[in-house]
Every structure is written in structure tokens, then in C-alpha cells.
Amino acid sequence: MPVATAFFRTIILYLLLIVGLRLTGKRQIGELEPIELVLTMLLSDLASVPMQDFDSPLINGVVPILTLLALTTLLSYISFRSGRFRSLICGEPAIVMRCGRLQQRAMRHNRMTVDELMEELRMKGITDLSTVKYAILETNGRLSVLPYANQLPVTAEQMNVTPEDVGLPVVVINDGRVIERNLHTRGLDRNWLDKQLAQHKLKQ
């Protein structure tokens, strides 16, 4: 039946795409390298055809998807082994600000306007260009800003202070349910939790 065929085709392709995208790592769209962005766009197009065209065998959609995933894996391996190939495929970071001065040539090469640069700096809380030692346009399109040393926040080590290391935060209540395992991992119990809730006037 067409409905059943569409249902199972969609599930198969959906699971296949999830596995494929998991192989590329955990990234947001704005953090994708060019090769990863191209892969995502092609996979979406290839998967949509078998979902809608019932006359086309499912294998005709699966084979191109697997081919692209295999090719991407191969290119990723080569990029890992060869810095020159990685620069060719992914590009290189570009310094668009140096010692508080705009690098116009690098900005033109990356088609970055002054307005775009100022917007990125404002989003990072920087309004005085003289405080920026380097601003680097990364290969994923994001801007890294390195201020001068005297503009960096003071650390506890510089102040000769030894704060208590509280470790990694652990969730003990999730969606109204107590996670006993996390409580025991921290050496705590329900009595401690009940006291903390009462102290903050909260209910489970």
C-alpha cells in the first residue's frame, strides 16, 4: 500500500540520515565546515526523492547517501592526516584585526564588511577596537577575539585566591523526578534533598 510504503521508506531514510549525521560530530549549523555543510544539503535532497517517488526503488536513494557518507569519512580522514589538504578543503583562519587595526585585505578576501565585523565585536561585548589584539575569522565563519593581556579578566590564581572546586554540576531532579543515582554519586540522600527544597520553599 502507498501509505505503508511511504511510512517505512521515511523511517529507513530518517534513521540512515541520523546515523550519517552523527558520524560528522556534534555541531550547530553555524559551526559546520564547508564540506559538512555541502554534505547536509545533499543528504536532504537525496532523502526527499525516495520518500515521495514510490516508483523509484528505495536502493536508488540509499546508495547515493551511503556513497556520500563514505566519501565524507574518507575526506575527513585525509584532512586529519594532511594539514595541506585540510587547508585546501576547509580553508584557513584569517586575521581580520591586528593590534586594534582592521586588516582590509583579509576582510576583502573573505568578503567581510566593516559593519559585519563591528556587529560580531558588539555581540562579544567589545566596543573599543583598541582593546583587541587579534580578531580571527575561523574556518566555520565565527569570529574569535583575543584582547590584550591587560584587558583580560583577573583569575583567582592571579589574586592568590584558592576557591573551592565544586566539580561538575549534577542534576538530581529532572521533570519532577528524583534521580537517586546522582544523589548517591555525590554522597547525598533524600533527607538532604528534602532539607534543601524546604530551605528554598520548593516542592518536588
Side-chain angles (χ1 to χ4, degrees):
M1 295 179 61
V3 175
T5 302
F7 177 76
F8 288 110
R9 280 188 172 212
T10 302
I11 290 179
I12 293 173
L13 292 170
Y14 177 71
L15 295 177
L16 181 60
L17 290 177
I18 288 179
V19 173
L21 293 177
R22 286 288 288 113
L23 294 176
T24 63
K26 296 181 179 179
R27 292 178 184 259
Q28 299 178 3
I29 295 298
E31 299 176 345
L32 294 178
E33 298 287 355
I35 185 174
E36 297 169 338
L37 180 59
V38 171
L39 172 67
T40 303
M41 296 171 61
L42 287 177
L43 287 180
S44 62
D45 288 338
L46 288 173
S48 63
V49 175
M51 289 182 185
Q52 301 173 7
D53 187 3
F54 299 153
D55 295 330
S56 176
L58 181 60
I59 194 67
N60 290 348
V62 173
V63 170
I65 291 176
L66 293 178
T67 302
L68 280 177
L69 293 176
L71 180 60
T72 302
T73 303
L74 176 62
L75 292 178
S76 298
Y77 176 77
I78 298 176
S79 298
F80 179 76
R81 302 289 295 181
S82 173
R84 183 174 300 179
F85 183 79
R86 182 168 58 251
S87 298
L88 178 64
I89 296 296
C90 301
E92 295 182 345
I95 299 177
V96 294
M97 277 195 67
R98 188 192 302 269
C99 298
R101 295 187 176 183
L102 303 180
Q103 304 298 302
Q104 298 283 358
R105 180 177 298 179
M107 292 177 63
R108 284 195 300 268
H109 179 74
N110 290 276
R111 299 177 181 83
M112 186 178 198
T113 65
V114 176
D115 291 337
E116 291 173 340
L117 176 59
M118 295 300 297
E119 179 182 355
E120 292 287 340
L121 292 175
R122 288 194 300 270
M123 292 176 63
K124 295 182 180 296
I126 296 176
T127 56
D128 186 358
L129 300 184
S130 63
T131 63
V132 179
K133 187 172 185 179
Y134 295 107
I136 305 171
L137 184 62
E138 305 293 353
T139 57
N140 59 13
R142 309 194 78 172
L143 189 70
S144 298
V145 179
L146 305 177
Y148 282 95
N150 59 1
Q151 298 294 326
L152 294 173
V154 179
T155 64
E157 183 179 4
Q158 292 171 333
M159 298 180 64
N160 293 323
V161 176
T162 306
E164 180 183 358
D165 188 2
V166 298
L168 186 67
V170 175
V171 177
V172 294
I173 298 180
N174 190 4
D175 293 333
R177 292 177 295 182
V178 177
I179 306 177
E180 300 286 351
R181 182 183 60 182
N182 290 350
L183 273 176
H184 297 326
T185 300
R186 284 300 180 91
L188 306 172
D189 55 19
R190 290 294 293 268
N191 291 332
W192 175 88
L193 180 60
D194 292 338
K195 292 179 180 179
Q196 295 299 317
L197 294 176
Q199 184 177 3
H200 292 84
K201 300 179 180 180
L202 298 174
K203 294 182 179 181
Q204 180 184 337

